[in-house]
Amino acid sequence: MLFVNPVLTTIVLLTCSNVFMTFAWYAHLKELNNKPWIIAALASWGVALLEYLFQVPANRIGYSVMSLGQLKILQEVITLSIFVPFAVLYMKESLKLDYLWAGLCILGAVYFIFRSEIH
């Protein structure tokens, strides 16, 4: 069962959370670009509420087995993993080599924040 493993549960919930948050932060640039900013803000807040329904339990579960720093770096890895396909597929941005470099920097952060677990 998925909810038996707190790390896997955290990853799944943070992934769902990040999908909603990415849409809350950026989809209005495409979908509501011609609407007043207050409409975009209200729509984004509605989507962000859904994000919090996944994020809060994810962080509570994750914090039971990870440090706060590990939880944050995990979230950043997931964020970039969601953002790049969103930018390329949904927003029709070009795929840039800079995403690779950013990913490598985050992998360095993963190493440093989790290295005590590795040794």
Side-chain angles (χ1 to χ4, degrees):
M1 186 170 145
L2 174 70
F3 297 104
V4 173
N5 184 328
V7 174
L8 182 59
T9 301
T10 299
I11 291 169
V12 169
L13 290 173
L14 283 177
T15 300
C16 293
S17 165
N18 265 278
V19 168
F20 284 111
M21 201 58 186
T22 300
F23 275 88
W25 279 30
Y26 302 111
H28 65 87
L29 298 173
K30 178 179 179 181
E31 300 301 330
L32 300 173
N33 198 30
N34 58 347
K35 302 285 185 203
W37 74 266
I38 191 70
I39 300 297
L42 292 172
S44 292
W45 285 345
V47 176
L49 173 62
L50 296 172
E51 181 267 343
Y52 274 89
L53 295 176
F54 289 100
Q55 178 266 118
V56 170
N59 284 331
R60 287 177 170 235
I61 294 166
Y63 192 61
S64 71
V65 293
M66 288 180 264
S67 72
L68 188 61
Q70 290 171 334
L71 195 55
K72 180 60 181 170
I73 294 301
L74 174 62
Q75 188 270 329
E76 294 301 333
V77 169
I78 293 168
T79 295
L80 190 60
S81 300
I82 297 297
F83 177 78
V84 173
F86 172 86
V88 172
L89 300 173
Y90 184 79
M91 296 296 289
K92 306 298 185 203
E93 300 264 327
S94 61
L95 184 60
K96 298 177 180 153
L97 198 54
D98 289 344
Y99 293 133
L100 173 63
W101 305 135
L104 290 174
C105 289
I106 289 178
L107 282 179
V110 168
Y111 169 76
F112 286 112
I113 206 74
F114 285 95
R115 72 179 164 174
S116 65
E117 306 293 323
I118 297 168
H119 293 104

